[in-house]
């Protein structure tokens, strides 16, 4: 039997330990429970255990789960959209997620601008960066982001809050760490270029097999599914 409460406690204490290793305040790191492989019962259990941030990577599944929770009158939680977002799906996500982590092109950002303006809301976003430059991966190339930001900063219905990345899936933890370091460095260099006009406070990085490293390298949001819902 999976004990979500126990897994949550274990993950939280691992986050806290890694934060303390590098002198960070553990309160600055949010745990996002990724629910793409589980259903409503697990989500309800996780809410009962005190989790308040949930992540989904498919629009349709996410909206169904959100609606089911509403019917159940569960405690309201924050939803994070973390999967690739096709422009034709953008209209469905506006207003339904606290953050979209996966804005991976200027085109995607423009589509969010259009739909958010129609709905009269402002959407918090993170810009996804393909730090490891893998062919199959979505995200801005680090070198393209500075130019992309010029365009995106003009989109008034978007509130840029930070950067997101996924490390390569590998046992080479040195490579994983350099990927997270790369995102942190990009954050610093862009922040230096744009100054107070740009807020990049959040770094969304770290999943089940690498979140400890991500915390050491500056993550403010870790996105965890397997360790919470599947491992014991
Ligand atoms: C599935 C997923 C996660 C969680 O991965 P685990 O290895 O199960 O913790 C995190 N981020 C994204 C973008 C995902 O799609």
């Amino acid at each position: 039997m999976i004990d979500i409460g126990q897994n949550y406690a274990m993950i939280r204490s691992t986050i806290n330990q890694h934060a303390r290793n590098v002198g960070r305040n553990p309160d600055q790191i949010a745990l996002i429970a990724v629910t793409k492989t589980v259903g409503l019962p697990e989500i309800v259990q996780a809410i009962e255990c005190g989790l308040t941030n949930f992540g989904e990577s498919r629009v349709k599944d996410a909206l169904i789960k959100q609606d089911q929770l509403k019917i159940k009158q569960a405690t309201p939680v924050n939803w994070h959209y973390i999967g690739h977002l096709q422009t034709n799906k953008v209209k469905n996500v506006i207003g339904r997620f606290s953050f979209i982590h996966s804005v991976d092109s200027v085109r995607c950002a423009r589509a969010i601008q259009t739909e958010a303006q129609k709905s009269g809301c402002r959407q918090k976003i993170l810009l996804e960066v393909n730090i490891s430059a893998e062919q199959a991966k979505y995200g801005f190339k680090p070198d393209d982001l500075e130019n992309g930001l010029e365009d995106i900063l003009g989109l008034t219905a978007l509130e840029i809050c930070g950067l997101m990345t996924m490390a390569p899936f590998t046992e080479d933890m040195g490579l994983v760490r350099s990927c997270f370091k790369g995102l942190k460095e990009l954050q610093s260099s862009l922040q230096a270029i744009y100054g107070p006009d740009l807020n990049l406070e959040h770094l969304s990085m770290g999943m089940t097999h690498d979140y400890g490293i991500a915390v050491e390298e500056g993550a403010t949001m870790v996105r965890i599914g397997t360790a919470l819902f599947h491992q014991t």
Side-chain angles (χ1 to χ4, degrees):
M1 259 293 281
I2 301 290
D3 185 335
I4 294 172
Q6 198 178 319
N7 289 348
Y8 175 32
M10 189 279 292
I11 294 164
R12 199 62 244 187
S13 91
T14 304
I15 291 172
N16 296 355
Q17 190 57 54
H18 283 269
R20 279 191 222 100
N21 284 347
V22 294
R24 294 188 63 203
N25 177 356
D27 296 343
Q28 288 168 348
I29 300 141
L31 168 55
I32 298 172
V34 177
T35 50
K36 69 182 177 211
T37 61
V38 298
L40 199 62
E42 289 86 355
I43 298 175
V44 170
Q45 262 188 63
I47 294 172
E48 283 165 359
C49 292
L51 280 145
T52 54
N53 288 292
F54 290 82
E56 279 280 335
S57 57
R58 283 183 208 93
V59 174
K60 197 169 154 218
D61 295 349
L63 299 186
I64 291 171
K65 289 171 189 174
Q66 289 178 357
D67 289 342
Q68 288 173 331
L69 275 182
K70 223 172 273 164
I71 291 164
K72 266 187 118 17
Q73 298 189 310
T75 315
V77 296
N78 303 312
W79 285 96
H80 300 251
Y81 190 75
I82 62 173
H84 174 61
L85 184 55
Q86 292 169 269
T87 46
N88 63 340
K89 303 265 174 69
V90 166
K91 59 179 181 301
N92 302 323
V93 303
I94 296 301
R96 302 284 298 248
F97 293 87
S98 306
F99 287 87
I100 299 174
H101 290 227
S102 41
V103 177
D104 54 13
S105 65
V106 173
R107 185 165 172 259
C108 176
R110 290 212 174 101
I112 296 171
Q113 163 79 4
T114 303
E115 295 300 329
Q117 271 190 323
K118 276 188 207 162
S119 319
C121 51
R122 202 141 186 266
Q123 177 67 57
K124 289 192 166 115
I125 63 153
L126 306 178
L127 299 164
E128 180 172 355
V129 188
N130 185 357
I131 292 281
S132 51
E134 289 163 86
Q135 283 289 329
K137 246 191 208 167
Y138 292 108
F140 288 90
K141 291 191 199 123
D143 290 344
D144 291 347
L145 193 53
E146 190 186 331
N147 275 333
L149 266 173
E150 292 287 344
D151 295 326
I152 297 171
L153 274 168
L155 305 175
T156 51
L158 270 60
E159 185 179 340
I160 301 171
C161 297
L163 305 176
M164 179 269 222
T165 200
M166 277 199 267
F169 193 76
T170 168
E171 295 305 312
D172 181 350
M173 289 302 153
L175 189 61
V176 168
R177 188 179 293 277
S178 71
C179 173
F180 295 148
K181 261 192 210 304
L183 196 69
K184 177 84 194 174
E185 283 164 11
L186 191 61
Q187 176 195 41
S188 306
S189 66
L190 292 170
Q191 201 66 76
I193 294 167
Y194 286 95
D197 293 343
L198 180 66
N199 166 22
L200 289 180
E201 68 176 291
H202 284 294
L203 291 181
S204 169
M205 56 188 194
M207 303 165 40
T208 289
H209 74 290
D210 57 21
Y211 67 93
I213 298 173
V215 166
E216 290 181 359
E217 298 302 333
T220 64
M221 297 174 173
V222 294
R223 311 176 308 266
I224 298 180
T226 308
L228 189 59
F229 295 111
H230 300 289
Q231 292 174 345
T232 46

